[in-house]
Amino acid sequence: MLTLNSVEVRYSEVILALKGISFEVPEGKIIALMGGNGAGKTTTLKAISGLLDIEDGDITDGHIDFNDQRLNKKQADEIVRLGIVQIPEGRRVLEHFTTEENLKVGGHTQPTAAVKTKLDNVYQHFPRLKERRHETSGYLSGGEQQMLVIGRALMAIPKLMLVDEASLGLAPLLVEEIFSILKNINQQDKMAILLVEQNVRAALEIADHGYVMENGKIVLDGPAEKLKDNEDVREFYMGLSKLGEKKRFRDVKHYKRRKRWLA
Amino acid sequence: MTTLLQVIIYGIAVGAVYGLVALGFVLVFKTCGAFNLAQGEFLMLFAFITMSLTNQLHIPFYLSVLITAIFAIVLGFIIERLLLRPMVNQPLMAILMMTMGLALVIKSISLLVWSYHAYRFPTWLPKGELQIAGLALSWDYVASFLIVAVVLIAFAIYFRYARFALAMRAVGEDQMVSQIMGIRISTVYGTAWAFALVVAAIGGTVLGTLTSVNSTLSIFGLFVIPVIIIGGLTSIPGAIVGGIIVGITEKATAMYLGTTLPGFANIAPYILLLIILYIRPAGLWGEKVIERI
């Protein structure tokens, strides 16, 4: 469905952010894109959604293809109409709008009749939003705002959802709830999801396949089950080292284990 | 014999026109972030065009107004395409200077074509006075007010109910999020400018009728600035109320201080602006934005 092929992204023509990454998102699957801060995950999503030019960024090499359409030169609103909708990081709701107005703007690309149907559909997924439909969205709690931005993305009837760090700043129980909602949407609506996450544990719970990014490159990939058991991922991203080992302070100070991947 | 009540009513009538022109300004500022210093020059330009179409080309007045209005809409989209789009990532100060340049260009071209003469529209407003509640109100002010009120109400309805209006508000709030939802920013910008120019055309025609059509009409652009700052730079109701306040101030000073301090009516709105900014720095309806330096 979505294929990235050796994509290179530069900011201001000199800052190399993505150093030739390639991956694909097949239809109906959840793909996790994981990595620490500054790895280039949000840049990847921006490149796919066509949002790089606001920040003086360019795709300088490689191409992004979505179902036979090349996305490199397309405008952001065209890409949304093709069916790729992004949920940006930081729960960016339109603060002065009410919940319902937020959702209605989400349905901007859809004809008026479809908006009404889709609105009811979203309220079914998120009854809490229905209770708060006329409240100013800036005053909703973090979890409710996260649900609102997911609902807003659903209003555009996406074929592929790009979810950027949905777990940021949320309590663990809420993170579980949000992720199970995403899994639900994936299964019910057969919607592909590209999940960008720092919370590797939560991401690998629901993903089918995962990629690890560091410094603008993809350093590891594999089916989610395999990644969960991968020792490097466990040590560096999930904080789990060998069970039963007594950790001497000296061991903690130096990384005794070297990363097995090329970066 | 003009009474205080008459002065207030005339002030409201003129103020409504200021409010309408200020509304166009606020819409452009809110949506595109562009502080349009050329609004007054556009007002003058469209008044001149309508006048030329009627007086020199002998096109019926109402048809000229319509043609000018359509031209204003098209010009709005052209400005977005040619002048605003290349400046997408530039600082706001650069865009402000661009509008300043635009103002100078329009003023110069207008002076070349129409020079310093004062022209008159053919009378299209009813003559005489409206007798109501024991007051005699001159019809031109009353009719101007009614026209402007109709436009304002139409705008209010559009902005409240239309789907595209929601998109415009969204772009004013958060551009990146609007793009993610599939809103085409350039269409929204173009629409905002088209609207600003159309109201400048209407305002220009009305003000040109009440005073006369000449190159000093652009001074109303300077009047619009205290209107919007008093109302709060990003507030649409603020623009209208600010307009009325400035209109009343102007008329009242002209009436009561006109003999002792001639011309004071032109600065009175600015003095009022100073006073109001002292009490409410963000304007009456403005939002206080606190930024970390």
Side-chain angles (χ1 to χ4, degrees), chain B residues 109-132:
Chain B
I109 293 182
S110 304
L111 283 174
L112 276 176
V113 176
W114 288 286
S115 184
Y116 290 97
H117 304 309
Y119 304 86
R120 294 242 119 206
F121 285 125
T123 26
W124 57 280
L125 287 174
K127 279 227 237 292
E129 302 185 332
L130 170 68
Q131 304 282 352
I132 186 170

Side-chain angles (χ1 to χ4, degrees), chain A residues 51 53-54 77 80-81 86 88 92 94-97 101 104-112 115 152, chain B residues 88-89 160 163-171 173-185 287:
Chain A
L51 294 172
D53 54 352
I54 316 176
D77 60 285
V80 171
R81 278 168 224 271
Q86 182 176 154
R92 287 173 77 154
L94 293 166
E95 291 171 344
H96 293 109
F97 284 35
E101 283 174 343
K104 280 196 185 153
V105 188
H108 177 84
T109 48
Q110 304 299 322
T112 325
V115 171
R152 197 176 65 190
Chain B
V88 157
N89 277 325
R160 174 87 172 67
R163 278 187 80 189
F164 194 69
L166 201 61
M168 290 181 82
R169 286 172 55 201
V171 170
E173 282 246 357
D174 195 330
Q175 266 198 32
M176 185 255 206
V177 167
S178 310
Q179 279 189 304
I180 294 181
M181 299 194 276
I183 298 174
R184 187 166 303 177
I185 307 285
E287 281 168 23

Side-chain angles (χ1 to χ4, degrees), chain A residues 13-215:
Chain A
E13 288 170 27
V14 286
I15 304 172
L16 195 52
L18 293 183
K19 303 176 186 169
I21 59 167
S22 309
F23 66 90
E24 68 165 8
V25 181
E27 261 194 66
K29 298 265 185 241
I30 301 183
I31 305 296
L33 190 59
M34 302 165 288
N37 288 324
K41 314 186 297 288
T42 305
T43 304
T44 310
L45 291 191
K46 286 204 184 120
I48 299 173
S49 282
L51 294 172
L52 284 176
D53 54 352
I54 316 176
E55 308 196 353
D56 202 13
D58 281 300
I59 303 178
T60 47
D61 201 12
H63 39 255
I64 306 178
D65 291 312
F66 182 66
N67 285 341
D68 306 325
Q69 298 262 11
R70 183 136 302 181
L71 298 183
N72 288 40
K73 297 267 184 266
K74 287 207 186 291
Q75 295 286 322
D77 60 285
E78 277 179 80
I79 297 180
V80 171
R81 278 168 224 271
L82 283 178
I84 302 181
V85 182
Q86 182 176 154
I87 302 177
E89 63 178 327
R91 292 186 282 285
R92 287 173 77 154
V93 297
L94 293 166
E95 291 171 344
H96 293 109
F97 284 35
T98 64
T99 308
E100 183 146 310
E101 283 174 343
N102 259 289
L103 292 172
K104 280 196 185 153
V105 188
H108 177 84
T109 48
Q110 304 299 322
T112 325
V115 171
K116 184 77 176 53
T117 332
K118 202 62 198 170
L119 199 57
D120 292 328
N121 183 281
V122 167
Y123 283 143
Q124 269 181 348
H125 275 294
F126 302 112
R128 242 200 336 247
L129 288 184
K130 187 160 188 182
E131 289 168 31
R132 306 232 184 297
R133 61 201 292 190
H134 295 301
E135 274 184 37
T136 311
S137 54
Y139 291 133
L140 294 179
S141 77
E144 286 161 354
Q145 284 184 350
Q146 190 64 53
M147 288 189 226
L148 176 56
V149 291
I150 297 177
R152 197 176 65 190
L154 287 177
M155 293 292 297
I157 313 192
K159 302 199 181 97
L160 167 66
M161 259 194 338
L162 310 173
V163 184
D164 199 348
E165 309 229 13
S167 65
L168 257 186
L170 293 181
L173 272 179
L174 267 175
V175 171
E176 263 183 51
E177 194 182 332
I178 300 276
F179 274 59
S180 70
I181 292 173
L182 287 176
K183 184 82 184 171
N184 243 333
I185 294 171
N186 163 258
Q187 284 174 332
Q188 275 180 19
D189 303 333
K190 303 281 176 289
M191 189 185 308
I193 299 182
L194 178 59
L195 197 62
V196 160
E197 261 304 325
Q198 288 193 32
N199 186 339
V200 169
R201 200 177 316 189
L204 289 179
E205 284 296 308
I206 62 169
D208 297 305
H209 201 94
Y211 296 85
V212 177
M213 274 184 85
E214 277 189 8
N215 281 326

Side-chain angles (χ1 to χ4, degrees), chain A residues 34-36 38-39 212-219 236-237 259 261 263:
Chain A
M34 302 165 288
V212 177
M213 274 184 85
E214 277 189 8
N215 281 326
K217 291 204 207 136
I218 293 188
V219 291
F236 296 112
Y237 285 101
K259 285 183 184 168
W261 55 61

Side-chain angles (χ1 to χ4, degrees), chain B:
Chain B
M1 292 359 94
T2 38
T3 63
L4 176 63
L5 196 53
Q6 265 179 317
V7 165
I8 291 182
I9 293 178
Y10 286 167
I12 294 179
V14 156
V17 182
Y18 294 162
L20 183 63
V21 177
L23 180 57
F25 190 108
V26 165
L27 194 62
V28 165
F29 185 67
K30 214 171 145 142
T31 327
C32 320
F35 200 88
N36 179 20
L37 285 175
Q39 188 78 335
E41 272 72 15
F42 279 118
L43 200 126
M44 168 193 71
L45 176 71
F46 292 129
F48 272 140
I49 293 178
T50 314
M51 185 278 308
S52 275
L53 288 175
T54 328
N55 292 3
Q56 281 154 10
L57 291 183
H58 301 295
I59 299 177
F61 179 74
Y62 293 105
L63 194 56
S64 314
V65 171
L66 188 62
I67 295 175
T68 313
I70 295 176
F71 172 61
I73 294 176
V74 169
L75 190 61
F77 281 102
I78 292 177
I79 287 182
E80 188 278 320
R81 184 70 185 81
L82 288 181
L83 295 177
L84 219 53
R85 218 179 285 186
M87 305 199 74
V88 157
N89 277 325
Q90 306 303 330
L92 293 182
M93 195 46 75
I95 301 183
L96 189 138
M97 289 197 282
M98 184 273 288
T99 62
M100 204 189 290
L102 194 58
L104 287 172
V105 166
I106 295 178
K107 189 78 187 270
S108 313
I109 293 182
S110 304
L111 283 174
L112 276 176
V113 176
W114 288 286
S115 184
Y116 290 97
H117 304 309
Y119 304 86
R120 294 242 119 206
F121 285 125
T123 26
W124 57 280
L125 287 174
K127 279 227 237 292
E129 302 185 332
L130 170 68
Q131 304 282 352
I132 186 170
L135 289 169
L137 300 171
S138 129
W139 255 119
D140 28 353
Y141 281 89
V142 174
S144 308
F145 175 72
L146 289 173
I147 294 171
V148 168
V150 164
V151 175
L152 283 172
I153 293 174
F155 173 78
I157 295 177
Y158 175 77
F159 226 61
R160 174 87 172 67
Y161 293 109
R163 278 187 80 189
F164 194 69
L166 201 61
M168 290 181 82
R169 286 172 55 201
V171 170
E173 282 246 357
D174 195 330
Q175 266 198 32
M176 185 255 206
V177 167
S178 310
Q179 279 189 304
I180 294 181
M181 299 194 276
I183 298 174
R184 187 166 303 177
I185 307 285
S186 53
T187 314
V188 169
Y189 276 19
T191 313
W193 273 86
F195 181 79
L197 294 189
V198 157
V199 296
I202 298 176
T205 310
V206 169
L207 286 170
T209 315
L210 295 176
T211 57
S212 87
V213 183
N214 59 47
S215 56
T216 65
L217 267 187
S218 60
I219 223 167
F220 285 111
L222 289 177
F223 268 172
V224 163
I225 294 189
V227 168
I228 48 174
I229 301 184
I230 289 176
L233 274 173
T234 47
S235 163
I236 289 178
I240 302 173
V241 174
I244 294 181
I245 293 176
V246 167
I248 296 178
T249 311
E250 197 205 327
K251 285 288 174 219
T253 3
M255 166 71 13
Y256 295 116
L257 295 173
T259 37
T260 31
L261 297 165
F264 193 70
N266 287 339
I267 4 173
Y270 284 91
I271 299 192
L272 182 67
L273 173 65
L274 275 174
I275 299 173
I276 291 186
L277 279 184
Y278 189 74
I279 310 170
R280 295 272 300 219
L284 293 175
W285 263 269
E287 281 168 23
K288 249 187 174 165
V289 176
I290 301 176
E291 255 181 57
R292 262 221 170 99
I293 298 183

